[in-house]
Amino acid sequence: VLKLSHYVVATDVINDRGQRVIYSTRTGRRVLVSDTCYQYLLESRADELPQKTRDDLQRNMILVDEHEDELANIISENYTYGRTPQKRLYEVVQPTAMCQLGCYYCGQKHTKDYLADDLIHKLVQRITRKFNSGDYEYVHIGWFGAEPLMGLPQMRRILKQLRASLGEHIRIQGNVVTNGLSLKEEIFLELVHDFNITAIEITLDGIAKYHDQHRYTKSGNNSFDLIYENLKTILRRADFDPEKCKIVIRCNVDEKNVEGVEPLIRRIADDGLHKLIDKLYFVGIYSWAGNQADKISLTKEEFAMRKMKWEILKIQLGYKTAGKLYERKRNTCIATGGATELYDAFGNIYNCSEISYSDFYEKSAYKLGTLSTSTADTDFPDKPHHDWYQKVRDTEEFPCHSCKLLPICGGSCPKAWEEGSKACPPFKFSIRKEIELMYLLETTSDDVLHEKLAGFESTFSISDFKRFE
Ligand code: SF4
Ligand code: SF4
């Protein structure tokens, strides 16, 4: 006997044939069903449906065996994934504690400290030991900050020593999260060719007027024009290859710059950069290391609605878009499993990316140890949040326990939940509308797309963006 899976989201009737879309968060797939079929599912009468319909729904995990403990299976899949040997050893390195910018929402304390040579040596030993004790094929380094490019000499040293230690035949690649100020052409080329950087993420918080209210230098100077020029120069190079190194633009949003987002979307398109970047994405500002930077954030509902409007505008302007909904997420973040560690410029070792350079966490369990006091094979058995999935499965402490979106979300950020904030991503508020949008894109011909999108968006009201239960 089959039952309707708990992990589904159904739209209202979506077309004049009276059909609905049902989306399974366990498979990430969608099925179009008649309203009658949907009523049968709700009334637990799946066995009365035609065999073909049942098979189809079962294959997509919209129908599951009535005895299946779905939550237990989802968690067990996540655990299995965490234990499955990966080809990639992912490590995060913060080569310096310095950054030119003094963004008001930043929770880090920046100082002129750089990873010292003795720590670089220990870092290389640690990464090499990890690599050699697993079945890895390559190393991927996330170069984070503070501002990683201010520690470029340290990055070079790490790369050189790591190459020597792992052997030239082992690929070392990475991604960089940078404020973009030092991203001059020659540095970009070095990142792509020497560091094998496959993605660079730069933050622009709106057009200049808004961005510069968020992201000014420590001495109070503007930063937008410099960053944007660097970006344009790189993207317009004749040899720029968007497949080799993806350029991602992040936009942090709160009340202060929300009106600067749409002009930014338009500016990037006007300059023809929208077809060259990999993506432009939006994030609500949250409290970072207890700094309460979220005081002037939009409500989650408002943000979710605005975000959908921005995504629609991007489609209208011809941005590259993902074209699919969310897929199954088996590892929430580096804290919930896997071998990844983060090393800061003082040699501290963490398993979470939001801890370093802040006094707030100084005495917390997040600080696993230091490179100077541990050896290459010191293991840290009690990492914070390694029991996250177990907690989600066995307790009702967090709403993720009963959330239908758990398979595609993973609980978002365990640290945020522990600290008392509701960590749900925007799609917790927009998932139904997002499914409708996807349907509209798939069923609308190009000649009427603009009109249809405009019509779709004009129906939005804040009550469409409620927390999905
Ligand atoms: S963080 Fe929110 S959306 Fe994600 S699983 Fe938990 S309750 Fe669901
Ligand atoms: S616990 Fe939260 S902040 Fe830490 S790595 Fe995971 S998602 Fe990021």
Side-chain angles (χ1 to χ4, degrees):
V1 179
L2 299 170
K3 67 177 176 187
L4 177 62
S5 165
H6 175 68
Y7 297 94
V8 293
V9 184
T11 63
D12 292 335
V13 168
I14 204 164
N15 58 26
D16 48 17
R17 276 164 290 151
Q19 292 172 305
R20 294 171 189 262
V21 177
I22 307 183
Y23 165 61
S24 160
T25 60
R26 288 185 68 182
T27 59
R29 293 198 291 262
R30 286 161 289 150
V31 175
L32 198 58
V33 299
S34 70
D35 194 39
T36 319
C37 170
Y38 181 62
Q39 297 310 323
Y40 271 64
L41 294 176
L42 290 184
E43 292 162 16
S44 307
R45 294 167 63 194
D47 289 337
E48 296 171 42
L49 291 169
Q51 183 72 40
K52 189 177 164 307
T53 309
R54 266 186 301 165
D55 289 348
D56 197 23
L57 295 174
Q58 193 174 9
R59 203 171 39 248
N60 291 294
M61 288 188 140
I62 289 169
L63 282 174
V64 295
D65 186 276
E66 68 167 343
H67 299 297
E68 179 177 355
D69 182 342
E70 291 189 276
L71 177 58
N73 285 345
I74 290 161
I75 299 292
S76 134
E77 283 164 22
N78 291 1
Y79 271 126
T80 307
Y81 179 82
R83 285 192 223 101
T84 311
Q86 304 292 319
K87 288 186 184 160
R88 177 179 93 147
L89 172 62
Y90 175 50
E91 298 279 37
V92 183
V93 180
Q94 298 180 315
T96 174
M98 192 50 193
C99 177
Q100 308 95 320
L101 295 186
C103 315
Y104 78 91
Y105 51 70
C106 181
Q108 294 182 338
K109 192 166 87 188
H110 297 137
T111 54
K112 289 181 180 151
D113 288 287
Y114 302 84
L115 206 51
D117 285 347
D118 57 325
L119 294 176
I120 289 180
H121 179 69
K122 295 202 93 174
L123 170 69
V124 168
Q125 280 185 327
R126 186 166 180 85
I127 296 178
T128 306
R129 195 273 311 162
K130 273 195 196 176
F131 185 85
N132 290 336
S133 58
D135 285 323
Y136 301 107
E137 289 173 13
Y138 65 98
V139 177
H140 183 106
I141 300 194
W143 301 100
F144 288 15
E147 170 51 41
L149 297 183
M150 292 198 85
L152 195 55
Q154 288 69 27
M155 286 172 64
R156 290 185 186 123
R157 259 170 252 156
I158 296 166
L159 181 69
K160 189 169 168 215
Q161 292 185 26
L162 206 47
R163 262 199 196 125
S165 165
L166 291 170
E168 289 290 333
H169 59 293
I170 302 298
R171 181 176 167 84
I172 303 169
Q173 59 170 56
N175 64 302
V176 180
V177 178
T178 169
N179 60 32
L181 276 171
S182 326
L183 196 62
K184 302 290 170 205
E185 264 180 298
E186 65 283 3
I187 294 183
F188 170 74
L189 294 176
E190 179 179 352
L191 292 176
V192 176
H193 299 303
D194 294 354
F195 286 84
N196 291 318
I197 293 300
T198 56
I200 299 178
E201 179 171 306
I202 299 170
T203 301
L204 290 175
D205 287 355
I207 49 163
K209 182 175 147 199
Y210 297 89
H211 171 97
D212 290 333
Q213 296 283 315
H214 266 192
R215 299 179 67 79
Y216 33 81
T217 66
K218 291 226 163 24
S219 46
N221 293 322
N222 294 339
S223 68
F224 183 89
D225 290 344
L226 280 169
I227 301 167
Y228 198 75
E229 272 311 307
N230 287 345
L231 196 62
K232 259 199 309 206
T233 308
I234 291 164
L235 289 168
R236 288 180 176 168
R237 282 183 63 89
D239 61 355
F240 175 74
D241 180 355
E243 294 308 314
K244 193 168 161 70
C245 180
K246 297 183 178 351
I247 301 290
V248 175
I249 301 177
R250 173 186 171 119
C251 181
N252 300 311
V253 184
D254 64 9
E255 291 288 355
K256 227 162 130 179
N257 70 331
V258 63
E259 302 307 336
V261 179
E262 189 181 317
L264 177 70
I265 300 171
R266 292 188 186 279
R267 168 88 190 262
I268 292 171
D270 285 348
D271 290 334
L273 309 181
H274 62 314
K275 305 248 187 227
L276 299 167
I277 60 168
D278 186 60
K279 69 174 176 185
L280 161 66
Y281 77 106
F282 316 99
V283 184
I285 288 175
Y286 49 86
S287 176
W288 185 345
N291 73 352
Q292 298 183 349
D294 56 343
K295 272 198 300 237
I296 51 164
S297 285
L298 309 184
T299 63
K300 294 252 183 178
E301 291 80 357
E302 173 79 21
F303 181 78
M305 185 169 87
R306 295 267 198 164
K307 179 170 178 288
M308 273 215 76
K309 291 187 173 187
W310 295 326
E311 295 298 347
I312 290 171
L313 179 61
K314 278 167 55 188
I315 299 169
Q316 287 170 323
L317 293 174
Y319 274 74
K320 282 197 242 171
T321 40
K324 56 181 171 188
L325 281 169
Y326 307 93
E327 294 192 331
R328 181 79 169 85
K329 191 171 180 183
R330 291 185 172 79
N331 193 19
T332 307
C333 64
I334 61 169
T336 56
T340 305
E341 286 168 331
L342 179 146
Y343 312 93
D344 75 7
F346 302 102
N348 294 314
I349 307 174
Y350 306 100
N351 72 329
C352 168
S353 53
E354 305 274 316
I355 306 298
S356 47
Y357 311 138
S358 112
D359 295 337
F360 191 75
Y361 295 107
E362 189 48 37
K363 299 254 168 341
S364 75
Y366 283 106
K367 188 164 161 178
L368 305 176
T370 63
L371 285 168
S372 52
T373 54
S374 52
T375 65
D377 43 25
T378 306
D379 228 6
F380 304 107
D382 294 319
K383 294 180 179 175
H385 306 309
H386 262 208
D387 58 350
W388 171 247
Y389 297 125
Q390 201 183 326
K391 265 194 202 153
V392 167
R393 183 189 58 202
D394 300 339
T395 76
E396 292 184 16
E397 197 177 338
F398 305 104
C400 315
H401 176 75
S402 56
C403 177
K404 291 173 185 292
L405 308 182
L406 178 69
I408 53 168
C409 173
S412 185
C413 173
K415 180 172 79 64
W417 280 114
E418 294 276 0
E419 290 172 0
S421 32
K422 291 192 167 80
C424 301
F427 65 65
K428 178 77 172 167
F429 300 81
S430 55
I431 190 72
R432 275 216 180 89
K433 282 281 163 215
E434 291 190 51
I435 301 170
E436 286 177 28
L437 173 61
M438 208 49 72
Y439 177 79
L440 188 147
L441 292 175
E442 284 163 0
T443 56
T444 309
S445 56
D446 284 352
D447 51 331
V448 287
L449 186 62
H450 271 258
E451 192 190 324
K452 286 269 171 125
L453 283 171
F456 175 61
E457 191 194 315
S458 69
T459 65
F460 285 7
S461 95
I462 195 73
S463 59
D464 295 327
F465 296 87
K466 286 205 275 289
R467 184 175 286 272
F468 176 72
E469 302 295 352

